[in-house]
Amino acid sequence: MNRALAVVSFISVCASAVFADSGVIIPSGKSSPDSSILSTESMDVQIVIDNGHATVTLKEVFHNHQPVTLEGIYSLALPGNAAVSDFAVWDDLTRIPGVILERKRASELYNEIRNQSIDPGLLQSGEVSESNAPGQAKRSAEFTVNIVPILAFGYKRIEAEYRQTIPVSQLASDFVLPLKASVPLRIGSVSVSLDLRSEQAITSFEEVSKAYPLKITRRTQNALTASFAQNDVDLTSDLEIRYSLANDTTPRVTTYRTGEATEPGYFETSAILQPPHAQTPEPAAGRTVVVLFDTSLSMQWDKLERSFQALEAILRSLKPADSFNVITFNSEPASFAPGPENATPEAIAKALDFVRATDLRGGTNLEAAFKPALAQSKRETYLVLLSDGEMTEGTIAPRKFEAWLDQAWKGIPAAQRPHLYTLAIGDDANVRFMRRVAAHAGAFEQVNTTEPLEFKLAGFVREIGLAPLSPVNLTVSPESNTRFVYRLQGDDYPGTRAAWVGEYLRPGPVEFTLKLGGAASAPKESVRAQLPAMNTVHTYLPATWARARVDALLEKIDREGEDRASIDEIIRLSRKYHFVTPYTSFLAAPRALLRPRLIRPGDPVLRVRTDPSITSVIALFPFGLTKPLRYLSGEDIWQTRFVAPEDMADGAHAVRLILRDRDGHVFREQKTFLISSHPPVVRLRMDRKQVHPGEHLALHVEASQSTRTITAQLYGAETLFLRWNESDKSNTGILNIPPNLPPGRYSIHITAEDIAHNVSHQEAPLEILP
C-alpha cells in the first residue's frame, strides 16, 4: 500500500461559467444570477479614455439574502481586446488586492487558502494545451473568479479593472461597456463617470445606447466629461458611445516618465492615415469576393448568427460589376457555385438560401476550404474568412497551416494573388492566428459576444476592396535613444489610426517620421517633440508598452518555441504592470498567506518554503507525531521526513505548523494533505478505432481528480502527454500515427499517475489500415 502526502484540491480552479453577463455573481448551483438569493446593491463604473486607450474600473457590492453562507462565481464580460489589469475582493473591512503570480504557483496557493475557508479569488486567462502551444492560449471574453465565502445575510464587495485599446475606423471610435443581462436583472444603484481625452480634436460625440443617459458636464475640443447616476436600474442594454476625430494626419506624441533616473520613459506616436491626395477612397471596381463560411459544430448559437449577419452584409455591399462565391466548410467544403457568379440580387438571395440550408456538423478543415477558394483567384480577388479559427481536421497546427498557406499564396502569380480578410468570431477565437492569415494583403477584425457587431462589421466590409496604405513605417531620430518600439495592432486603411509605443532612455529632443508606402518618393509626415524628464499624465503608457512587448514575445514563442528568457520576461512584465498572460494569474488573498509556504507532494517528505524572517518551523501531525523541520539553505526550503501510519484512512488530513521569526513572533498555520492508497480511475474514449498511417487520432481520457499526469503510448510513436480540456471536460490530446507504421493491430497504453504517485494503466486496441 502506498501512503503519500499530497496537497488537496477540492475544486476546479476558475471554472468556466456558461453565463456571460458582466459584473455578476452566479450562486453555486445556478446557471445565471438570481437576485432573490444574491442581489447587486450598487455598481460604480469609472471610464477613462486617453488617446484611444480605455481604463475601466468597476466597483460592486452584493447582498446575500439567504440564512446560509454562499459560494459563487463572479463573471466579468470583457469587450474586444480588453485585458484585466486589477482585481480585489473585500473581507469585511479589509481590501484584499490581487497580485500577479506564476500561473502554477497561483493555482496551488489558491487551493491551499480556500481549504482554510478564507476568501481568495483566482483570475486566469485561457488554458495552454497540446493544440494551443504556449502563447497561443485561447483568450476568452469572460473572466471568472470563485468567490467564497459570502456570509449569511452579509455583503461582498468586489473591484475589477480592465484596459482596452479602442480602434479608429472611418475617423470614428466605438466604445462598449458590456452591461446587458440575459435574464431580468435590476441593480439597486448605478453610477457611471466618463472622462474622454484626445490629442486629436474630437469633432462629434454620440451615446448610441439610450438606457443610461449621460449628462455632459464639460466639453472642449480635446476633452469631454459625462456622468450617469440612478437607482433601481434594469440592465436592458450595453452602454455604447461613439465619437469622431478630426481628419488631421499630423502625428501626435504622448509621453510618460516618473523622473527616476533608473527608469526609462515611454512614448506613443500616432497618426490618422489618409491617402496623399484628398480623394475619397472607394473600393476597386470589378471585385471578386469569395466568402469562406465556417459551418463546423464550434460555430453554434451566437457565432452562427453573427457569421450569417456578416455574410449578408458583405454580399449586399457588392456592386453590379462585382462577382462572388460562397464556400461553406466543416470537415469538407461545399461551394454555392462552381466559380464566381455575377453579384445580382437574385444570385445573392440564392447564395443566402444556400447557406441557410446548410447544417452545422463535423470539425473544421481550413486547408480543405482554402484550396478551392485559392483556385478561384484572379485579379482583384478578396477571400473573406468568417470563422473562430479553431482547426480540428486536416492541418491543425497553426504554424504548419500558415506555412502551407504562405506557400500556396506565393505560388499564385503576383497580379492574381488574393487579399485575405479574416473576421474572428466568438470569445474563444484564435485571434493571433486569424490576424496572421490576414497579413496576406488583407485586413483583420474580431468581435466577441460581449460587444455589438454593427460598428466593427461596417468598417470591415468597407475595407474589402480598398487599397491599404501599406507599408506604414515609423522612424525615430536619434534612434539610439529609443528601444523596443512596437506597432500597436491595426490595419493600414484610410481613416484608421496607426500607433507605435516604445521606451526612451533619456530626456531630449527627438523627431518622429511616418512614411506611407515603400517607395522612396512615398509621402512622409514628421513631428518634433521634446521627450520630458518627467510627465505622469498619460498613465496608460507603461502598461500599454508592456502589453505590446509581451505580445511580441508570445509571437516569438509561437514561431520558435518556448525559451526560459522569454517566459521570465513575460512573467516579470505581467507582475509589474498587472495583466494576465498564459503564464500568469491574478490571486487575491490576505498578504500574510501569499508568502510561499507550500507543502509539496511527497512521501515521506514534508517541504515548506517560508518568509526569510522565519528561524524555526515545527510540524504537528494528526497522528501524534511532532517534528522540527530543518532549513536547507541551498534550496531555501524547510524539510522533514516522516512516515504516515499504515492504518491511516484515505482522505484529507491536516498538519499544523508553528513558525517563529527572528523577533520571536509566533505564527500558526494549518495545511491540508491527502492520504491516498488507491490508483486513479481512468476511462479512455477515442474518435476512431481504425486509422491510416500518418493520420491524427484524438484521445479523450477521464480520470480521478487527484490525477497529476496522463500519458498515451503507441508503438513507434512519441509519448503523448494529455492535458485538461475545460470545454471537453476531459484530458485530451492528438496522437500522431507514424507515417511508416505497418498495418496491423496495436494497443494504445494509457498511464495515469496521481499526486500520491499511485499509478494505473489502461489499454485500448487500435487497428492500422493499409
Side-chain angles (χ1 to χ4, degrees), residues 345-385:
E346 294 77 16
I348 290 172
K350 289 180 180 179
L352 294 174
D353 288 340
F354 164 76
V355 175
R356 289 190 187 99
T358 302
D359 294 328
L360 289 184
R361 60 184 178 84
T364 307
N365 192 331
L366 269 182
E367 184 178 351
F370 265 91
K371 285 179 178 178
L374 292 171
Q376 298 180 33
S377 181
K378 54 185 179 180
R379 188 179 296 273
E380 292 299 335
T381 296
Y382 301 83
L383 304 188
V384 185
L385 173 62

Side-chain angles (χ1 to χ4, degrees), residues 305-511:
E305 293 178 10
R306 289 177 172 236
S307 296
F308 191 83
Q309 187 178 347
L311 171 67
E312 188 168 13
I314 293 168
L315 296 188
R316 297 201 184 281
S317 72
L318 299 177
K319 298 180 179 180
D322 298 330
S323 59
F324 79 98
N325 201 355
V326 178
I327 298 175
T328 62
F329 68 94
N330 38 65
S331 299
E332 297 177 350
S335 295
F336 162 65
E341 299 245 324
N342 293 331
T344 64
E346 294 77 16
I348 290 172
K350 289 180 180 179
L352 294 174
D353 288 340
F354 164 76
V355 175
R356 289 190 187 99
T358 302
D359 294 328
L360 289 184
R361 60 184 178 84
T364 307
N365 192 331
L366 269 182
E367 184 178 351
F370 265 91
K371 285 179 178 178
L374 292 171
Q376 298 180 33
S377 181
K378 54 185 179 180
R379 188 179 296 273
E380 292 299 335
T381 296
Y382 301 83
L383 304 188
V384 185
L385 173 62
L386 308 178
S387 175
D388 58 11
E390 291 299 327
M391 297 172 288
T392 60
E393 296 185 19
T395 302
I396 62 175
R399 283 298 178 184
K400 289 183 179 179
F401 175 83
E402 291 163 26
W404 170 84
L405 178 63
D406 193 56
Q407 183 178 9
W409 186 77
K410 290 180 178 178
I412 299 172
Q416 298 179 14
R417 285 176 190 161
H419 304 263
L420 305 188
Y421 286 63
T422 59
L423 181 59
I425 298 176
D427 303 343
D428 58 351
N430 195 333
V431 170
R432 281 206 295 277
F433 164 71
M434 295 284 278
R435 192 186 298 277
R436 289 194 295 265
V437 171
H440 295 79
F444 163 84
E445 186 57 270
Q446 70 176 111
V447 61
N448 294 333
T449 58
T450 54
E451 56 190 345
L453 175 64
E454 289 75 15
F455 180 80
K456 287 189 171 183
L457 180 59
F460 181 77
V461 171
R462 175 180 173 271
E463 291 174 355
I464 298 175
L466 283 183
L469 303 174
S470 303
V472 179
N473 295 312
L474 174 73
T475 57
V476 188
S477 178
E479 186 179 2
S480 60
N481 193 28
T482 61
R483 64 179 183 180
F484 301 132
V485 180
Y486 299 104
R487 168 79 185 271
L488 298 181
Q489 301 292 356
D491 297 315
D492 299 334
Y493 285 88
T496 62
R497 176 178 179 265
W500 292 258
V501 290
E503 285 187 337
Y504 68 89
L505 305 179
R506 298 171 302 277
V510 67
E511 183 178 32

Side-chain angles (χ1 to χ4, degrees), residues 15-40 60 62-64 66 69-77 142-150 156 158 181-183 185:
S16 177
V18 296
F19 201 76
D21 289 341
S22 185
V24 298
I25 295 181
I26 304 167
S28 180
K30 297 286 185 177
S31 60
S32 61
D34 189 334
S35 296
S36 66
I37 299 175
L38 194 64
S39 63
T40 308
E60 296 177 278
F62 299 88
H63 183 200
N64 180 5
Q66 301 299 306
T69 297
L70 295 179
E71 178 176 344
I73 295 178
Y74 177 76
S75 173
L76 177 65
E142 178 189 12
F143 277 105
T144 56
V145 185
N146 293 293
I147 303 297
V148 56
I150 308 170
K156 177 60 64 180
I158 293 180
S182 57
V183 296
L185 189 63

